[in-house]
Amino acid sequence: MSDTVIRVENLSKKYIIGHQQQEKHSTLRDALVYGAKSLGDKLLNFSTYKHISPTSEDFWALKDISFEIKQGDRVGIIGRNGAGKSTLLKILSRITEPTTGRISIFGRVASLLEVGTGFHGELTGRENIYLNGAILGMSKAEIVKKFDEIVAFAEVEKFLDTPVKRYSSGMYVRLAFAVAAHLEPEILIVDEVLAVGDIRFQQKCLGKMEEVGREGRTVLFVSHNMSTVSYLCSRGILLESGTLYVDSDAEEAIRIYLDKSYNVAQLPLIERKDRSGSGKVKSASFRVLNQEGTEENTLQSGKNYYLEIGYLNYTKERINNVVVSLDFFDDKGIRVLLLRTNFTNSNLTIDAEKGYIICGINNLPLVNSLYRVSIYLSHADQELLDWIEDAASVTVEGGDFFGTGNPGLPNHCKILTKAQWSTEISFFSS
Ligand SMILES: Nc1ncnc2c1ncn2[C@@H]1O[C@H](COP(=O)(O)OP(=O)(O)OP(=O)(O)O)[C@@H](O)[C@H]1O
Ligand SMILES: [Mg+2]
């Protein structure tokens, strides 16, 4: 007997984009999610695809993809923004239909995709658990058996009888993950929604996914976090602009992905297509300036810099509460520094058309290395405006962080801090 649980043959997915969303929605869920989105766009009199001809245009999000997944494979699906990862998972979860090609799935699938799919907003947490169980083909008795475990895992006891549309995004994801992971699917499909929860919950989810994998069930996991993929996955599928670029073991796929990331075509940020978000505001440029305001390409540890993001705001209105995040990743894909406006309660209001967002950083604490920087813009942490991975690369070389001329051991650590040494505790008393 074959142990293939998923077979994907020559799968392609076409979207029709243009002035008006013309795709026929293949499922009710699709219609709800994208219907609401295009209504929102209309209300704001805004078209995400403004630069494209006013009629319509075909866009192939997946192109002729074929692969097989065996029982018990733990597959990391990786690739840059817009590569087609979520589209693939949505097709495998039967939330949307392929345009050509076919998929065969042998086993019960539970999936956790972007927030907004999977649950019904008007129904309570309790009702959604039962509904999802029923969709998975479980009997009422089986669901009852799992119910308490799900509620305990999600930590939503108090809100069980509240419609999930009133849940915070964190609560929503906790419940959605708990349902998907506990209803004993044979195949568990998870699309990076874990990023929404707090660190403690993320760890808990990873633990649970590991457990599901250990039980011999199949796991498909999309993530931008290479250390998580490497920890959790045995196999890696790298998508590149809708095509299958690598299908091998996880470490190999990660290595190729990271290698490729360094060769980002030096397109101006505004022309990059590998971005996600509504596009109402886009980052258009990124520069590092020194204290005197001159652009620097090679930075030194311990110096002060301004990181400057140029933006274009297509809404023609000022927007307040813009949350900005600059993430620095090292050559292993590990995030070593995360600068984010809401950590410091910095509330930014951006201008109606264009302008700059400046982040001042004292005493750069990074060691010598090449870093890739991702730029993320959201409105109030609710609506993703623009997110570009590998928006820029930054080299740190040299510097006198400690002010002593001693360079430290930059190959042995990732961050620098000045410590005080003594044989008595005295530093922190006023
Ligand atoms: N309903 C849709 N209508 C039109 N285009 C779409 C639709 N859904 C996705 N796309 C486009 O298809 C491409 C692939 O999108 P997808 O969401 O699968 O990428 P992804 O790899 O998940 O990216 P990310 O890392 O940003 O989540 C993107 O260019 C996206 O804009
Ligand atoms: Mg995605």
Side-chain angles (χ1 to χ4, degrees):
M1 199 190 84
S2 157
D3 55 354
T4 298
V5 289
I6 297 178
R7 182 176 302 123
V8 172
E9 292 164 280
N10 308 102
L11 177 71
S12 296
K13 173 72 183 177
K14 178 174 75 178
Y15 286 119
I16 298 170
I17 54 177
H19 197 58
Q20 293 250 291
Q21 190 83 28
Q22 292 184 358
E23 192 201 12
K24 252 181 44 233
H25 294 293
S26 28
T27 64
L28 176 63
R29 249 189 213 172
D30 222 10
L32 289 174
V33 173
Y34 286 103
K37 189 169 167 252
S38 47
L39 177 65
D41 286 352
K42 273 180 212 140
L43 291 176
L44 287 160
N45 190 21
F46 180 83
S47 164
T48 319
Y49 301 104
K50 257 191 178 151
H51 53 291
I52 294 170
S53 75
T55 50
S56 68
E57 177 175 318
D58 290 355
F59 175 81
W60 291 90
L62 293 176
K63 300 170 205 156
D64 198 22
I65 298 217
S66 303
F67 59 84
E68 274 191 16
I69 300 210
K70 305 272 183 217
Q71 158 83 46
D73 278 355
R74 287 164 287 126
V75 188
I77 297 171
I78 59 179
R80 304 165 63 81
N81 290 138
K85 305 179 295 294
S86 299
T87 304
L88 177 61
L89 294 198
K90 279 185 204 154
I91 293 174
L92 293 176
S93 311
R94 305 212 189 269
I95 283 173
T96 190
E97 296 270 337
T99 309
T100 58
R102 50 180 278 174
I103 57 166
S104 321
I105 297 184
F106 311 95
R108 274 191 337 215
V109 176
S111 54
L112 179 56
L113 305 176
E114 292 150 8
V115 177
T117 52
F119 280 172
H120 289 262
E122 300 294 338
L123 301 184
T124 65
R126 182 190 305 278
E127 290 163 336
N128 269 297
I129 296 176
Y130 278 97
L131 182 65
N132 271 270
I135 291 172
L136 268 174
M138 297 175 75
S139 69
K140 189 159 182 213
E142 283 175 300
I143 304 171
V144 168
K145 230 171 76 194
K146 289 282 164 191
F147 191 88
D148 291 343
E149 227 178 287
I150 292 174
V151 174
F153 189 94
E155 301 167 28
V156 292
E157 291 88 344
K158 277 199 245 141
F159 303 96
L160 262 183
D161 294 305
T162 306
V164 299
K165 68 178 181 194
R166 306 239 174 278
Y167 281 23
S168 70
S169 52
M171 281 160 62
Y172 189 101
V173 166
R174 289 209 305 268
L175 183 61
F177 181 86
V179 167
H182 286 83
L183 289 180
E184 304 200 332
E186 282 144 319
I187 304 168
L188 176 63
I189 296 185
V190 176
D191 191 350
E192 194 151 64
V193 275
L194 302 180
V196 178
D198 58 35
I199 298 281
R200 190 187 57 85
F201 189 73
Q202 286 177 25
Q203 294 299 341
K204 200 163 136 182
C205 291
L206 288 177
K208 183 70 194 168
M209 281 169 66
E210 213 195 348
E211 192 184 311
V212 170
R214 263 204 315 268
E215 288 164 358
R217 284 184 262 172
T218 310
V219 179
L220 269 69
F221 179 48
V222 163
S223 178
H224 287 271
N225 186 329
M226 292 308 125
S227 37
T228 311
V229 173
S230 138
Y231 168 72
L232 208 63
C233 302
S234 50
R235 247 180 91 180
I237 287 182
L238 169 56
L239 297 182
E240 161 93 4
S241 309
T243 59
L244 190 146
Y245 193 73
V246 177
D247 177 1
S248 67
D249 62 81
E251 295 309 321
E252 171 81 353
I254 291 172
R255 192 185 56 72
I256 295 172
Y257 170 67
L258 292 175
D259 276 357
K260 272 184 79 63
S261 308
Y262 286 114
N263 303 324
V264 176
Q266 289 304 306
L267 268 185
L269 274 191
I270 195 66
E271 288 172 25
R272 295 263 298 261
K273 299 269 187 289
D274 54 329
R275 62 204 310 153
S276 42
S278 70
K280 291 175 189 171
V281 179
K282 287 184 177 174
S283 39
S285 65
F286 176 79
R287 296 194 304 163
V288 183
L289 310 173
N290 64 20
Q291 240 172 311
E292 285 73 46
T294 317
E295 185 173 354
E296 293 264 7
N297 292 315
T298 305
L299 315 189
Q300 299 193 324
S301 309
K303 288 209 168 163
N304 302 340
Y305 293 101
Y306 296 108
L307 310 174
E308 176 205 81
I309 303 166
Y311 64 82
L312 294 179
N313 175 354
Y314 296 95
T315 66
K316 306 261 182 290
E317 279 169 21
R318 282 164 68 81
I319 307 181
N320 74 44
N321 205 355
V322 172
V323 174
V324 183
S325 165
L326 287 170
D327 298 18
F328 287 69
F329 295 85
D330 73 0
D331 53 358
K332 305 259 173 344
I334 293 172
R335 187 192 267 124
V336 283
L337 182 64
L338 173 53
L339 307 168
R340 201 175 168 95
T341 47
N342 50 8
F343 293 164
T344 44
N345 289 334
S346 310
N347 192 340
L348 297 183
T349 300
I350 62 165
D351 280 340
E353 289 197 352
K354 60 183 176 183
Y356 294 97
I357 295 161
I358 316 279
C359 168
I361 166 164
N362 275 336
N363 249 340
L364 184 71
L366 297 174
V367 298
N368 291 359
S369 185
L370 180 66
Y371 298 91
R372 295 174 296 119
V373 185
S374 295
I375 304 178
Y376 168 103
L377 306 174
S378 83
H379 181 227
D381 241 353
Q382 302 281 330
E383 179 192 3
L384 177 62
L385 297 167
D386 193 32
W387 177 31
I388 310 190
E389 290 176 82
D390 304 327
S393 59
V394 163
T395 309
V396 176
E397 211 175 283
D400 183 17
F401 182 88
F402 300 107
T404 60
N406 186 326
L409 294 169
N411 296 329
H412 289 74
C413 64
K414 303 228 173 275
I415 56 156
L416 300 165
T417 190
K418 277 183 198 166
Q420 301 168 58
W421 296 88
S422 166
T423 51
E424 283 161 45
I425 297 178
S426 55
F427 319 118
F428 307 118
S429 51
S430 64

